[in-house]
Amino acid sequence: MRILHISSEATWRGGEQQIAYLIQESMSRGQAVEVLCKSDSAFQNWCEEQSIPYRTAPFKNSFDLYSAWKLRSYIRDSRIDLIHIHSGKGHGVFALSTLLGVRTPAILSRRVDFPLKNNPWSRWKYGLSQIKHILCVSDAIRALVLEKVSDPERVSTIHSGIDLSRFEHLKPKSLHEQYDIPRNRMLIGNVAALAPHKDYRTFIRTAERCVDSGLPVHFFIIGEGDERSMIESEISRSGLQSHVTMTGFLQDIPAVLAGLDLFLISSETEGLGTSILDAFAAGTPVIATAAGGIPEIVIHEQTGLLCPIKDDQCLAFSVKRLLDDTDLKERLRIGATEHLQQFTKQTVAQQTLAVYEEVLSALPSKTK
């Protein structure tokens, strides 16, 4: 079985990490894997470092006919048995490749929790006979897909997973010392791309409520992205310059997470939220909004605390509650550690490879 993974994005975010985990686990099981990725992308660099066979294409947009032609050429040259598409842009390029004669079966992963569009292009590409199965990273996404895809047997959930070995023998990073923060302040942070759907306005409003109520807290925004200027303006507007630190991109995230007292995520949409799984693995209690697939990992008062989307009052109350109740923090930490065992990269690979086998075994012999 020779699998071609399509990675169409320029940067490295959660989706790219999941593809990398899947490729590594597949290769460790003896599977032949190749990649078509965006030219000059982070994923191209990773393929080179890992000696993964790959080719590149521009992936300018979902209607990039040249990338579709490059995909067709790759399939013909490498005798690909199955294609795994990992993004909407890749899905569009694959759809165009079918107009160029590609008949190779494909698996589509969907990681975003917004409804499928109800236009001819969307209906056509999701209805392609070559798309044999759609893998969703949460039940919330699966429910949205099933609003437009009528066959429930064609759509299933495989939750994202993480590499638990990264969290063994952790030495928490001393963030108080590194950023000159008074030792009596509890550290609360999020690790995420600075993107609109992460809703950092709600994060800042939560920080403002906590500071105004006299809680000894300091907040960390860890990551980079297009929303940086907006977030900086919100921090300044709220007068929180001495209470919120924007670190930019950091290495050694497991140690950073272990250095936090609480993990706070305020997303308004979220496929699943693998940064929450990382926080679980680091032993950091989690407070989250109930966006997308988050309630499938943050079970209220069992593995973390949940609040409605955009409810900064609830989030601030939850911060105070955990700072005051060490027994609750410990119960959540234990519950999160137990729940986390379902979300490993090994489990994801095992379940995904089973879908590959099922799809290929169901094909007529002449198309295998």
Side-chain angles (χ1 to χ4, degrees):
M1 176 168 42
R2 185 174 296 276
I3 308 299
L4 176 65
H5 292 270
I6 299 178
S7 174
S8 64
E9 303 309 299
T11 59
W12 189 281
R13 293 174 63 174
E16 287 67 45
Q17 185 62 70
Q18 291 301 306
I19 305 169
Y21 283 155
L22 178 57
I23 289 174
Q24 289 173 330
E25 289 299 313
S26 298
M27 292 178 67
S28 73
R29 291 163 167 80
Q31 187 177 90
V33 173
E34 301 195 29
V35 171
L36 180 67
C37 57
K38 184 175 177 64
S39 307
D40 301 317
S41 64
F43 211 84
Q44 178 183 347
N45 295 336
W46 181 82
C47 288
E48 291 175 352
E49 292 168 1
Q50 302 294 318
S51 299
I52 308 292
Y54 76 92
R55 293 188 191 178
T56 64
F59 287 108
K60 293 181 179 179
N61 52 51
S62 296
F63 307 100
D64 186 348
L65 193 58
Y66 178 62
S67 292
W69 178 82
K70 296 268 283 187
L71 172 58
R72 184 192 70 166
S73 299
Y74 200 165
I75 292 167
R76 290 184 175 180
D77 293 345
S78 298
R79 296 185 177 182
I80 299 299
D81 297 303
L82 184 67
I83 300 166
H84 193 154
I85 308 160
H86 293 277
S87 69
K89 193 183 298 180
H91 187 190
V93 166
F94 173 79
L96 290 179
S97 78
T98 66
L99 300 178
L100 302 176
V102 169
R103 296 292 177 264
T104 307
I107 304 291
L108 172 66
S109 282
R110 187 163 174 87
R111 296 186 169 91
V112 292
D113 68 325
F114 49 81
L116 274 59
K117 294 179 180 178
N118 190 27
N119 57 43
W121 165 252
S122 182
R123 290 195 297 270
W124 174 66
K125 69 177 184 177
Y126 276 94
L128 285 170
S129 61
Q130 290 90 339
I131 302 287
K132 301 301 181 182
H133 206 89
I134 302 172
L135 298 178
C136 304
V137 300
S138 64
D139 291 333
I141 294 176
R142 183 174 185 268
L144 290 171
V145 171
L146 287 175
E147 291 177 2
K148 296 292 188 294
V149 176
S150 59
D151 182 5
E153 297 298 318
R154 192 169 158 244
V155 186
S156 59
T157 299
I158 296 181
H159 292 105
S160 299
I162 64 171
D163 181 3
L164 293 181
S165 69
R166 296 173 62 222
F167 296 86
E168 295 174 354
H169 313 298
L170 267 186
K171 181 180 179 181
K173 190 169 287 291
S174 181
L175 298 172
H176 289 95
E177 291 182 5
Q178 184 173 348
Y179 293 96
D180 194 25
I181 298 166
R183 281 283 180 182
N184 68 331
R185 290 192 184 178
M186 307 298 284
L187 305 183
I188 302 166
N190 188 18
V191 179
L194 308 187
H197 71 280
K198 299 298 182 180
D199 190 15
Y200 271 106
R201 284 189 170 88
T202 294
F203 186 96
I204 297 302
R205 289 199 302 271
T206 302
E208 187 175 13
R209 282 184 179 275
C210 290
V211 170
D212 287 350
S213 66
L215 292 178
V217 289
H218 190 95
F219 290 81
F220 280 89
I221 295 174
I222 301 161
E224 273 298 347
D226 295 340
E227 295 282 283
R228 171 175 274 276
S229 294
M230 179 280 294
I231 297 169
E232 289 173 338
S233 296
E234 287 294 302
I235 293 170
S236 178
R237 178 199 60 77
S238 304
L240 294 174
Q241 295 92 328
S242 62
H243 294 276
V244 180
T245 297
M246 298 186 70
T247 68
F249 180 79
L250 295 180
Q251 300 284 350
D252 199 11
I253 290 301
V256 171
L257 286 169
L260 296 174
D261 295 291
L262 298 176
F263 184 84
L264 172 67
I265 181 169
S266 55
S267 298
E268 57 181 323
T269 65
E270 197 71 58
L272 184 67
T274 53
S275 61
I276 295 171
L277 299 177
D278 288 340
F280 284 178
T284 305
V286 171
I287 299 168
T289 45
I294 288 178
E296 295 167 41
I297 50 178
V298 180
I299 302 170
H300 187 54
E301 298 201 350
Q302 295 181 40
T303 66
L305 297 181
L306 277 178
C307 289
I309 295 167
K310 294 187 178 298
D311 192 340
D312 51 282
Q313 183 174 1
C314 175
L315 291 169
F317 175 76
S318 297
V319 168
K320 183 178 187 306
R321 187 179 173 196
L322 286 185
L323 294 183
D324 290 342
D325 192 340
T326 56
D327 289 341
L328 176 58
K329 282 176 64 176
E330 186 59 24
R331 288 200 306 274
L332 296 181
R333 187 180 290 112
I334 292 170
T337 300
E338 293 175 353
H339 193 48
L340 180 62
Q341 306 313 306
Q342 304 175 41
F343 302 93
T344 68
K345 65 172 186 172
Q346 293 85 357
T347 299
V348 173
Q350 180 179 356
Q351 293 174 345
T352 304
L353 294 179
V355 173
Y356 293 172
E357 294 283 359
E358 181 181 346
V359 165
L360 290 175
S361 65
L363 295 174
S365 57
K366 66 179 181 179
T367 63
K368 291 181 184 178

